[in-house]
Amino acid sequence: MDTIFLEQVKVQTKLGVPEWERTLPQTVILDIEIGYDFSKACQSDAIENTIDYGLVVARIRETLAEHSFKLVEALGEHVCQLILKEFKAQNVKLKVSKPGILPGLKALGVVMERDQK
């Protein structure tokens, strides 16, 4: 299997357990690995035989701007399912980082992996 990776994708969304934390968008950083069979793309050199990472990033930014999440886990699941369903990825590994949320803490977050069912 082949993998497309997108590192340090900065997105804006409303995220946090306390309601006040979800009043304004904040930056979340995503590291994404998308599993896909690139054999056709390697032969054809055509974008339609692979996953257009520009469209993936645009779609993630669009959907996260429209939604609010209490937990980074729920946000992560939302992004994983979007990539699996809309882009027909074989699998996805996602790291969600919420930077600078607590004093003395660089970031908090989750790492999750999901496969096509």
Side-chain angles (χ1 to χ4, degrees):
M1 177 173 11
D2 306 306
T3 303
I4 290 176
F5 68 91
L6 306 166
E7 290 183 349
Q8 300 286 305
V9 179
K10 293 182 181 178
V11 298
Q12 295 288 307
T13 194
K14 294 179 181 176
L15 175 66
V17 173
E19 192 172 321
W20 62 263
E21 201 173 0
R22 294 187 311 277
T23 57
L24 295 173
Q26 56 189 287
T27 300
V28 176
I29 301 171
L30 308 176
D31 291 324
I32 308 165
E33 294 181 17
I34 303 170
Y36 195 79
D37 179 2
F38 301 138
S39 57
K40 282 186 178 180
C42 293
Q43 298 300 315
S44 69
D45 197 25
I47 190 71
E48 57 270 3
N49 291 324
T50 188
I51 294 176
D52 184 333
Y53 56 83
L55 291 177
V56 172
V57 171
R59 184 65 182 104
I60 290 170
R61 286 186 173 141
E62 175 186 42
T63 189
L64 292 185
E66 296 170 351
H67 289 82
S68 172
F69 302 91
K70 291 181 181 175
L71 303 175
V72 291
E73 294 88 342
L75 182 151
E77 186 67 24
H78 179 83
V79 172
C80 286
Q81 293 306 316
L82 179 144
I83 293 169
L84 289 170
K85 292 175 182 173
E86 292 188 22
F87 295 94
K88 306 213 180 341
Q90 293 175 349
N91 61 47
V92 62
K93 181 176 180 180
L94 176 70
K95 177 180 175 185
V96 179
S97 298
K98 187 174 175 181
I101 192 64
L102 295 173
L105 183 68
K106 182 178 179 180
L108 65 82
V110 296
V111 176
M112 49 184 39
E113 295 182 49
R114 299 293 184 264
D115 295 316
Q116 192 66 261
K117 295 178 183 179

